[in-house]
Amino acid sequence: MAVLFRAYFASAYGGYVRKTKSGVPVNAIHGFVRYLTDAVRTYEPTHVAVCWDMSSKTFRTERYAAYKGNRPEAPDDLIPQFDLVKEVVEALDVPNIGVLGYEADDCIGTLARKYGGEMDVLILTGDHDLLQLVSERVKVVMLKKGFGNYAVYDREALLAEKQLTPPQVIDLKGLIGDSSDNYPGVKGIGEKTAIKLLSEYETIEGILANLDALSASVKKKIEADLDMLHLCRELATIYCEVPLTCEIDACRWAPDPERVGAKFEELEFRGLLKDIV
């Protein structure tokens, strides 16, 4: 979903929204396909799956009603593309995966954990929350501005750039919150202070075990927001045991040119067909 939204806003910022001759908006889908096919050409995966958010209501909104409550409604011309993009993914013979009550991130985490022990996994996203999933065989391919521009994060790159281990990505969000997801963290604790604390004490538990060693102001802030600290860490944690079904053989990347061609012809994506066949 992060990729679809990125594709929409990257192409609609000037006010023009690509539509078919019959008036169906397709700009987000067109951009999504370009992102997907460029990544496939670049990294040559043997298997591909796409995960989607299914609803704004998840187990996180049950825990914290304000979770993502600050996000505006999707633009009117993006809404019909939510279902249509899944038809395109299906035409590529790629599984659409989503489970009510969970976010796409949770489905991605579940698949990464399930298959990351037996094969290399690349997670294509624009969402930095997924950096917590980095492991020995799981890397995050972060979309940067423009097509074909990526930053690949393994453990070493994550530590070098952000001074964090994958589990510390979660603890950082517990401390500072996430404005885009609308949870606050510990009031008055910023990213610089949080990274310094995690560098010294490794985990939130380590920080709490050493409260008396902290400055009086930092100690006071943490003690005042202790419940929120734990809640925010919970909200930030990707759940990796979603009850989903996705057999690896169903994910093999082998699009049927005729099936893809028919769907692309319908959406007037003729120029993209060369990226598939």
Side-chain angles (χ1 to χ4, degrees):
M1 198 65 76
V3 177
L4 186 70
F5 270 82
R6 174 185 287 259
Y8 174 85
F9 288 108
S11 60
Y13 69 91
Y16 169 75
V17 172
R18 182 188 183 113
K19 297 180 180 180
T20 64
K21 291 177 182 177
S22 61
V24 177
V26 292
N27 67 313
I29 302 168
H30 187 272
F32 178 89
V33 171
R34 287 186 63 198
Y35 282 128
L36 175 61
T37 54
D38 185 84
V40 167
R41 285 196 307 273
T42 301
Y43 297 104
E44 300 182 335
T46 55
H47 300 76
V48 178
V50 177
C51 296
W52 301 104
D53 294 322
M54 302 300 288
S55 170
S56 60
K57 303 298 182 183
T58 67
F59 74 92
R60 292 182 179 86
T61 56
E62 292 179 2
R63 289 287 290 119
Y64 186 60
Y67 181 75
K68 292 189 176 181
N70 59 334
R71 296 194 176 185
E73 294 293 324
D76 289 343
D77 46 17
L78 176 58
I79 293 172
Q81 299 186 64
F82 290 153
D83 289 332
L84 192 53
V85 72
K86 294 176 184 176
E87 294 180 17
V88 173
V89 170
E90 185 178 346
L92 291 167
D93 288 323
V94 170
N96 286 298
I97 298 168
V99 179
L100 284 172
Y102 301 93
E103 296 183 48
D105 290 4
D106 302 312
C107 296
I108 293 169
T110 299
L111 293 175
R113 176 171 293 182
K114 180 176 182 180
Y115 293 115
E118 61 188 73
M119 59 178 61
D120 295 328
V121 175
L122 296 175
I123 298 171
L124 179 70
T125 185
D127 185 351
H128 284 74
D129 290 347
L130 288 159
L131 292 171
Q132 65 186 264
L133 299 176
V134 169
S135 67
E136 183 176 352
R137 299 193 70 173
V138 176
K139 298 177 183 178
V140 171
V141 179
M142 195 67 63
L143 289 166
K144 309 296 282 186
K145 188 175 182 180
F147 285 98
N149 188 15
Y150 308 102
V152 180
Y153 290 93
D154 55 15
R155 286 171 172 166
E156 291 72 23
L158 180 60
L159 188 62
E161 181 176 316
K162 299 185 180 295
Q163 295 80 56
L164 295 169
T165 66
Q168 287 176 332
V169 172
I170 304 171
D171 284 0
L172 177 67
K173 291 295 183 75
L175 287 162
I176 69 172
D178 187 326
S179 59
S180 66
D181 287 340
N182 202 39
Y183 57 88
V186 176
K187 187 176 181 180
I189 297 292
E191 184 171 350
K192 184 176 180 180
T193 297
I195 290 177
K196 181 179 179 182
L197 290 172
L198 290 171
S199 177
E200 189 164 356
Y201 301 110
E202 296 188 358
T203 65
I204 285 176
E205 285 76 17
I207 294 168
L208 296 179
N210 291 277
L211 281 177
D212 290 339
L214 308 182
S215 69
S217 64
V218 171
K219 178 183 177 182
K220 183 178 180 180
K221 291 171 184 175
I222 292 176
E223 288 180 332
D225 261 344
L226 203 53
D227 289 344
M228 185 57 73
L229 169 64
H230 291 301
L231 174 60
C232 291
R233 179 167 63 168
E234 181 182 339
L235 295 173
T237 302
I238 292 174
Y239 183 73
C240 295
E241 297 181 12
V242 176
L244 58 79
T245 301
C246 179
E247 297 305 322
I248 195 65
D249 288 345
C251 302
R252 185 170 294 280
W253 176 256
D256 176 8
E258 289 190 11
R259 188 180 184 196
V260 177
K263 177 55 73 172
F264 281 16
E265 185 72 23
E266 173 192 333
L267 299 179
E268 301 167 20
F269 287 176
R270 298 175 190 89
L272 295 184
L273 191 57
K274 68 181 186 306
D275 296 331
I276 303 294
V277 299

